[in-house]
């Protein structure tokens, strides 16, 4: 099809996101709709667009843009208008007139060719201001050329912009030589890069392709299964399967082995046949060394008075601590590192409260820090202890793409660090946290080792226990907890036993349904019933082990939204992809956002969709309420939110709710695991409802084959401790 050209002015923007524009376009004595990857264009701008006409059911005849450009100004007035536009930084209308008067109608071409030198000769324009103007002019025209060139390969305008920021004017040359650079910048996955490479005519036997595939397979397998490494044979086998799928030119075993060798120490580490992504190897090594260094050390103060403090604490608070609880408190003052574990109802919170109180009496001048992996978990920790708590990220000042504020060179000042929900902490986060802690500080790790491990690579809590870090496991279930069927049945499931339900109590239910669609229907009815009983939406946590299918989070979110918060003329809504966000909806934040002060796992409610004035511009915003704090989102930030009527059990970790409802069915057989069901049911505070089949529950309770994660943390801790004591003995 022959490419057509169409020149005109953007008269109205109908829809815009980071990478796509639909707009009304007036030109050639007619007005029509244009659409395409048109970046940074504003209403009133003149463009030349290239593409083809097509027909759309809603917009009628429209022009599908494949590439576009801003035509160079042809008059003084056009040149002044362009320089004075928001595209050019540091140049208002007065300065624009001055530049055009001095350089002429072709001012923009001269700036692009000569750079700063042609501007500094103009009175009042210093080096700094000239640089800002020149950079804006050069990038404006340079970027659109790069975008136009890369679009033909299937690289979006948004990706092209990122490539320009990374490689500057060389972006096209870099990508045409090695399109797999796109994967290194996390712009696309390997398969998309492979498709782009094919469009460019890159051979399937390219070394760039093999290197990229090795890294892709290694990282994907590690993050999918929580591994820190893959055995070399497995990596080779999986890489060959990926490379040689649907291609006549086959990569050989030796070529993959050579690629692993080429990448070693740059991107990966081959540790005696166990291949790590380099960053995971560093984190595992650093964490093991820090733990071994701190293990066995003690500040040795206050130990003799701890027994007396425990007695005083019991009198003062009118409690009798169990022997294991008292042992945990004593050990806190004997060891620099201590792990406190226990199942529901065994009094972990009680003993942590006692530890904080007694520590303050022993070390009056010391600062204490409490933290947890998620915002919800940290707020819960603060609530139950009465002491301020934060996320681990916030404690050490960790933000995406940046080094932490606190590290080995700039450690935290706190001398007691308490980390809750430790089962959720992956090897990377644990490594960065421990690096930020002083070597003579006391660290208390609190968690339930029977819960799900971290979503990301590593199994840190389990590995620390196996690596010999001192630990106390609370086992006694207190009388008050014994009265809860949620607690007693959680223990039964954790021991592989069947549920015992007393129908005379109203805290535990099992509704038998077999067909997944009927399970979903009953689940919605149950949620409605709890709302009728007076529970708010935020009090009800619907959890599913899976995302897809009739009882997966996607389908259940749609059904629950339709029933609990149906569409109405009085409710505003936005659509993002296939998801509708509506006033009154329950939503979950999916990534840490430090600017907004909301974190991955925080659950809130959409309060309003409105317009606000920002920098003399009216913008559309969605206002969400998170724990009483209002947070604003623009449309292009909706990728940080998901509906939260139903979330995965993994996402629920660190939080609790009065009511929890979980579907359990043989239709998600692969997810029927003891630790998954146990983790889900321990989120419930008042009422627990399972809907499904007893057979599925029996399978889950009997399946204690926790997927083995490939880590060497435990062995490294033990080895490093042995090395440390060997050095001491030699001295």
């Amino acid at each position: 099809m022959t490419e057509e050209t169409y020149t005109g002015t953007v008269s109205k923007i109908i829809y815009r996101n980071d990478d796509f524009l639909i707009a009304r376009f007036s030109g050639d004595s007619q007005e029509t709709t244009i659409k395409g990857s048109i970046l940074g264009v504003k209403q009133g701008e003149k463009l030349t667009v290239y593409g083809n006409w097509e027909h759309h059911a809603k917009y009628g005849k429209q022009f599908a843009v494949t590439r576009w450009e801003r035509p160079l100004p042809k008059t003084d007035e056009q040149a002044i208008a362009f320089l004075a536009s928001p595209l050019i930084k540091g140049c208002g209308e007065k300065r624009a007139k001055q530049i055009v008067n001095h350089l002429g109608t072709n001012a923009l071409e001269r700036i692009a060719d000569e750079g700063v030198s042609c501007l500094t000769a103009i009175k009042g324009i210093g080096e700094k201001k000239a640089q800002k103007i020149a950079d804006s002019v050069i990038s404006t025209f340079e970027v659109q050329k790069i975008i136009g060139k890369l679009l033909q390969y299937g690289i979006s305008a948004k990706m092209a912009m990122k490539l320009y920021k990374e490689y500057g004017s060389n972006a096209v040359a870099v990508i045409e030589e090695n399109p797999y650079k796109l994967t290194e910048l996390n712009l696309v996955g390997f398969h998309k890069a492979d498709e782009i490479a094919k469009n460019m005519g890159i051979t399937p036997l390219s070394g760039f392709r093999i290197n990229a595939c090795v890294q892709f397979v290694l990282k994907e397998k590690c993050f999918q299964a929580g591994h820190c490494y893959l055995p070399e044979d497995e990596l080779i086998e999986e890489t060959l399967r990926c490379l040689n799928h649907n291609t006549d030119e086959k990569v050989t075993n030796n070529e993959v082995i050579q690629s692993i060798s080429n990448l070693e120490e740059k991107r990966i580490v081959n540790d005696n046949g166990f291949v790590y992504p380099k960053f995971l190897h560093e984190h595992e090594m650093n964490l093991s060394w820090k733990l071994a260094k701190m293990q066995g050390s003690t500040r040795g103060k206050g130990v003799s008075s701890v027994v007396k403090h425990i007695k005083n604490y019991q009198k003062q608070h009118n409690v009798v601590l169990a022997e294991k609880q008292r042992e945990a408190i004593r050990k806190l003052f004997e060891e620099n590192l201590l792990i406190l574990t226990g199942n529901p109802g065994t009094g972990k919170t009680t003993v942590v409260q006692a530890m904080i109180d007694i520590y303050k009496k022993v070390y009056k001048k010391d600062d204490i820090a409490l933290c947890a992996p998620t915002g919800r978990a940290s707020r819960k920790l603060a609530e139950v202890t009465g002491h301020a708590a934060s996320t681990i990220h916030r404690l050490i000042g960790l933000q995406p793409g940046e080094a932490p504020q606190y590290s080995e060179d700039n450690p935290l000042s706190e001398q007691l660090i308490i980390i809750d929900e430790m089962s959720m902490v992956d090897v990377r986060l644990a490594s960065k946290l421990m690096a930020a802690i002083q070597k003579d500080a006391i660290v208390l790790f609190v968690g339930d080792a029977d819960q799900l491990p971290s979503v990301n690579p590593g199994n840190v809590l389990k590995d620390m226990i196996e690596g010999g870090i001192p630990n106390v496991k609370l086992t006694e279930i207190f009388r008050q907890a014994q009265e809860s069927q949620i607690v007693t049945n959680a223990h039964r499931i954790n021991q592989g036993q069947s549920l015992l339900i007393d129908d005379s109590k109203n805290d535990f239910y099992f509704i038998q349904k077999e067909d997944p669609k009927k399970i979903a229907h009953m689940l919605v009815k149950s949620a409605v019933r709890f709302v009728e009983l007076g529970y708010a939406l935020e009090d009800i946590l619907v959890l599913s082990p899976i995302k897809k299918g009739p009882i997966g989070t996607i389908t259940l979110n749609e059904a629950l939204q339709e029933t609990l918060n149906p569409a109405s003329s009085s409710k505003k809504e936005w659509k993002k992809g296939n998801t509708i966000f509506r006033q009154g909806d329950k939503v979950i934040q999916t990534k840490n956002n430090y600017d907004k002060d909301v974190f991955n796992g925080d659950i809130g409610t959409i309060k309003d969709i409105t317009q606000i004035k920002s920098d003399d511009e009216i913008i559309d915003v969605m206002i969400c309420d998170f724990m009483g704090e209002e947070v604003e989102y623009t449309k292009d930030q909706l990728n940080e939110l998901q509906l939260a009527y139903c979330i995965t059990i993994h996402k629920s970790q660190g939080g609790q709710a009065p009511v929890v409802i979980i579907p359990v069915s043989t239709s998600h057989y692969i997810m029927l695991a003891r630790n998954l069901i146990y983790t889900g049911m321990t989120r419930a505070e008042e009422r627990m409802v399972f809907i499904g089949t007893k057979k599925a529950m029996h399978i889950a309770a009997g399946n204690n084959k926790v997927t083995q994660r490939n880590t060497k943390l435990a062995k490294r801790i033990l080895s490093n401790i042995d090395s440390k004591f060997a050095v001491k003995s030699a001295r």
Side-chain angles (χ1 to χ4, degrees):
M1 190 183 291
T2 306
E3 188 178 64
E4 298 185 52
T5 305
Y6 185 36
T7 300
T9 303
V10 178
S11 57
K12 182 183 179 183
I13 293 173
I14 300 170
Y15 171 79
R16 186 210 308 265
N17 64 20
D18 280 352
D19 194 39
F20 196 79
L21 180 81
I22 299 174
R24 299 296 292 174
F25 199 61
S26 58
D28 299 341
S29 303
Q30 62 177 323
E31 187 170 73
T32 190
T33 306
I34 63 168
K35 65 163 192 175
S37 295
I38 306 172
L39 204 68
V41 170
K42 295 184 179 293
Q43 189 170 315
E45 273 203 74
K46 189 172 184 179
L47 302 177
T48 298
V49 292
Y50 301 83
N52 296 101
W53 295 98
E54 61 179 35
H55 185 82
H56 189 275
K58 181 177 180 181
Y59 297 112
K61 187 181 179 183
Q62 63 181 22
F63 195 78
V65 179
T66 54
R67 58 191 179 93
W68 60 278
E69 61 185 41
R70 294 181 175 94
L72 280 169
K74 292 183 172 61
T75 67
D76 284 4
E77 290 74 20
Q78 288 175 350
I80 290 166
F82 192 93
L83 283 166
S85 75
L87 293 166
I88 309 302
K89 306 299 180 189
C91 188
E93 189 172 351
K94 185 177 177 182
R95 183 79 68 198
K97 286 179 181 177
Q98 187 185 12
I99 292 170
V100 173
N101 287 339
H102 188 87
L103 299 179
T105 305
N106 65 339
L108 293 169
E109 291 164 278
R110 286 194 61 186
I111 294 168
D113 291 339
E114 300 171 35
V116 173
S117 60
C118 68
L119 291 169
T120 51
I122 302 171
K123 186 179 178 182
I125 301 182
E127 186 82 27
K128 196 173 179 181
K129 180 77 73 177
Q131 190 68 58
K132 190 178 284 189
I133 295 169
D135 287 347
S136 294
V137 170
I138 292 166
S139 66
T140 296
F141 292 101
E142 204 168 50
V143 167
Q144 72 181 39
K145 285 178 186 175
I146 288 169
I147 289 172
K149 184 71 174 172
L150 294 177
L151 279 173
Q152 65 183 316
Y153 297 127
I155 296 172
S156 71
K158 186 178 178 182
M159 286 192 286
M161 277 294 295
K162 290 182 178 177
L163 290 169
Y164 177 75
K165 286 179 182 176
E166 183 72 19
Y167 302 117
S169 57
N170 294 322
V172 173
V174 168
I175 296 305
E176 285 184 331
E177 180 191 16
N178 179 11
Y180 298 97
K181 287 281 186 184
L182 291 163
T183 63
E184 292 179 18
L185 298 175
N186 295 317
L187 297 179
V188 298
F190 172 78
H191 296 298
K192 179 64 178 176
D194 218 22
E195 183 185 313
I196 291 167
K198 193 174 182 181
N199 292 339
M200 290 180 171
I202 303 292
T203 171
L205 303 180
S206 162
F208 292 133
R209 179 174 184 254
I210 300 170
N211 287 350
C213 192
V214 167
Q215 294 174 80
F216 162 73
V217 168
L218 180 59
K219 192 172 180 181
E220 184 180 65
K221 292 292 179 184
C222 283
F223 275 83
Q224 278 182 349
H227 298 318
C228 289
Y229 68 82
L230 285 184
E232 187 176 10
D233 289 348
E234 183 181 338
L235 175 59
I236 293 168
E237 183 183 338
E238 292 293 334
T239 302
L240 286 171
R241 184 179 289 118
C242 183
L243 286 169
N244 293 334
H245 173 69
N246 205 22
T247 180
D248 294 329
E249 296 181 83
K250 304 295 185 185
V251 176
T252 67
N253 196 80
N254 286 340
E255 285 171 317
V256 175
I257 292 171
Q258 184 59 49
S259 174
I260 292 171
S261 177
N262 292 340
L263 290 166
E264 195 164 353
E265 300 308 325
K266 298 172 193 169
R267 300 274 178 178
I268 66 178
V269 174
N270 192 342
D271 189 344
N272 296 313
F274 302 106
V275 187
Y276 288 76
K278 188 177 180 182
F279 70 99
L280 287 179
H281 186 264
E282 288 176 352
H283 287 311
E284 191 176 270
M285 293 287 285
N286 293 341
L287 178 58
S288 66
W289 272 113
K290 185 61 179 279
L291 290 169
K293 192 174 183 180
M294 293 181 70
Q295 163 63 354
S297 302
T298 178
R299 284 189 283 162
K301 295 188 294 183
V303 175
S304 60
S305 62
V306 168
V307 173
K308 183 178 74 175
H309 281 300
I310 293 172
K311 288 179 180 178
N312 291 341
Y313 179 86
Q314 291 180 118
K315 282 182 185 177
Q316 186 181 345
H317 292 83
N318 195 28
V319 296
V320 178
L321 298 171
E323 173 52 36
K324 279 285 185 182
Q325 291 178 313
R326 296 196 297 274
E327 179 191 340
I329 297 169
R330 291 195 299 271
K331 279 206 168 191
L332 183 75
F333 294 89
E334 295 169 0
E335 307 282 353
N336 268 46
L337 302 177
L338 179 65
I339 300 170
L340 177 68
T341 65
N343 300 137
T346 55
K348 291 196 299 291
T349 300
T350 300
V351 75
V352 170
Q353 288 172 323
M355 285 172 165
I356 294 171
D357 188 278
I358 294 169
Y359 187 92
K360 284 180 177 178
K361 286 182 169 57
V362 175
Y363 300 118
K364 294 181 175 63
K365 295 181 180 180
D366 281 4
D367 291 327
I368 301 173
L370 275 65
C371 61
T374 67
R376 273 185 302 157
S378 66
R379 280 191 288 274
K380 182 72 177 175
L381 181 60
E383 182 185 313
V384 298
T385 61
H387 192 286
S390 72
T391 62
I392 295 172
H393 291 78
R394 172 147 294 205
L395 178 66
I396 63 175
L398 179 59
Q399 297 197 39
E402 297 180 17
Q405 179 185 351
Y406 294 98
S407 62
E408 191 173 10
D409 297 327
N410 180 35
L412 295 162
S413 61
E414 289 84 358
Q415 286 291 326
L416 172 62
I417 315 286
I418 298 175
I419 308 149
D420 198 15
E421 296 289 354
M422 193 62 202
S423 63
M424 297 174 65
V425 180
D426 59 82
V427 69
R428 170 185 167 274
L429 187 56
S431 170
K432 288 182 180 292
L433 172 60
M434 291 307 298
I437 295 174
Q438 295 182 50
K439 65 179 183 296
D440 63 343
I442 294 175
V443 185
L444 176 67
F445 306 98
V446 184
D448 185 341
D450 294 319
Q451 286 190 23
L452 292 169
S454 58
V455 174
N456 288 327
N459 200 351
V460 177
L461 180 60
K462 178 175 174 287
D463 286 346
M464 288 196 304
I465 293 170
E466 291 181 0
I469 303 300
N471 74 91
V472 175
K473 181 172 184 179
L474 305 178
T475 54
E476 182 180 337
I477 305 174
F478 290 93
R479 185 173 57 81
Q480 187 177 355
Q482 287 175 351
E483 295 172 3
S484 164
Q485 291 193 93
I486 298 169
V487 172
T488 55
N489 277 314
H491 282 266
R492 289 185 65 82
I493 288 293
N494 201 35
Q495 291 158 12
Q497 299 173 343
S498 59
L499 299 174
L500 278 182
I501 302 174
D502 183 348
D503 293 332
S504 67
K505 296 183 177 181
N506 64 354
D507 63 346
F508 205 100
Y509 306 88
F510 196 106
I511 302 171
Q512 296 198 60
K513 297 286 178 184
E514 188 161 352
D515 180 68
K517 289 183 179 178
K518 290 182 178 178
I519 293 173
H521 178 70
M522 180 55 69
L523 189 148
V524 174
K525 282 184 68 176
S526 297
V528 169
R529 180 59 181 148
F530 281 116
V531 170
E532 291 171 350
L533 289 171
Y535 286 98
L537 281 181
E538 53 265 33
D539 295 333
I540 303 166
L541 202 54
V542 179
L543 306 178
S544 176
I546 54 176
K547 292 182 180 179
K548 297 180 180 179
I551 50 176
T553 58
I554 297 170
T555 300
L556 288 175
N557 264 315
E558 291 173 357
L560 288 161
Q561 180 191 48
E562 186 180 335
T563 305
L564 297 172
N565 189 31
S568 157
S569 58
S570 64
K571 297 174 189 172
K572 301 169 195 168
E573 58 184 49
W574 278 352
K575 187 171 183 180
K576 176 80 171 181
N578 294 322
T579 303
I580 292 171
F581 292 95
R582 183 178 297 136
Q583 272 181 282
D585 276 342
K586 188 177 177 184
V587 291
I588 184 169
Q589 177 77 12
T590 59
K591 57 179 71 173
N592 292 332
N593 189 319
Y594 298 89
D595 295 331
K596 297 182 186 298
D597 202 27
V598 286
F599 301 94
N600 185 12
D602 284 353
I603 292 178
T605 306
I606 299 173
K607 304 305 288 184
D608 196 9
I609 295 173
T610 185
Q611 293 184 323
I612 62 169
K613 190 172 182 181
S614 176
D615 296 329
D616 297 324
E617 186 181 359
I618 302 297
I619 60 172
D620 296 323
V621 295
M622 175 189 287
I623 300 173
C624 297
D625 183 300
F626 287 93
M627 303 288 290
E629 297 293 327
E630 291 192 347
V631 181
E632 294 171 359
Y633 293 83
T634 56
K635 283 185 178 178
D636 60 357
Q637 294 171 331
L638 289 185
N639 61 335
E640 295 187 14
L641 292 175
Q642 290 176 0
L643 292 178
Y645 294 99
C646 178
I647 62 175
T648 63
I649 294 174
H650 273 98
K651 278 281 185 189
S652 74
Q653 282 184 275
Q656 287 186 293
V659 177
V660 170
I661 309 172
I662 300 177
V664 56
S665 165
T666 51
S667 67
H668 53 245
Y669 183 87
I670 194 169
M671 301 301 288
L672 292 175
R674 184 185 299 176
N675 62 349
L676 194 74
I677 296 298
Y678 171 78
T679 299
M681 66 193 299
T682 53
R683 303 306 95 203
E685 295 174 321
E686 297 175 13
R687 296 187 177 186
M688 176 70 238
V689 182
F690 281 107
I691 304 174
T693 66
K694 292 284 182 70
K695 179 183 177 181
M697 182 61 82
H698 178 74
I699 292 169
N703 179 15
N704 197 32
K705 294 178 182 176
V706 179
T707 305
Q708 184 64 39
R709 292 193 166 193
N710 296 341
T711 85
K712 289 187 174 294
L713 180 61
K715 288 182 179 178
R716 293 191 199 281
I717 295 169
L718 289 167
S719 175
N720 291 336
I721 290 172
D722 288 344
S723 299
K724 184 179 79 169
F725 284 113
V727 170
K728 281 186 178 180
S729 299
R731 287 175 184 165

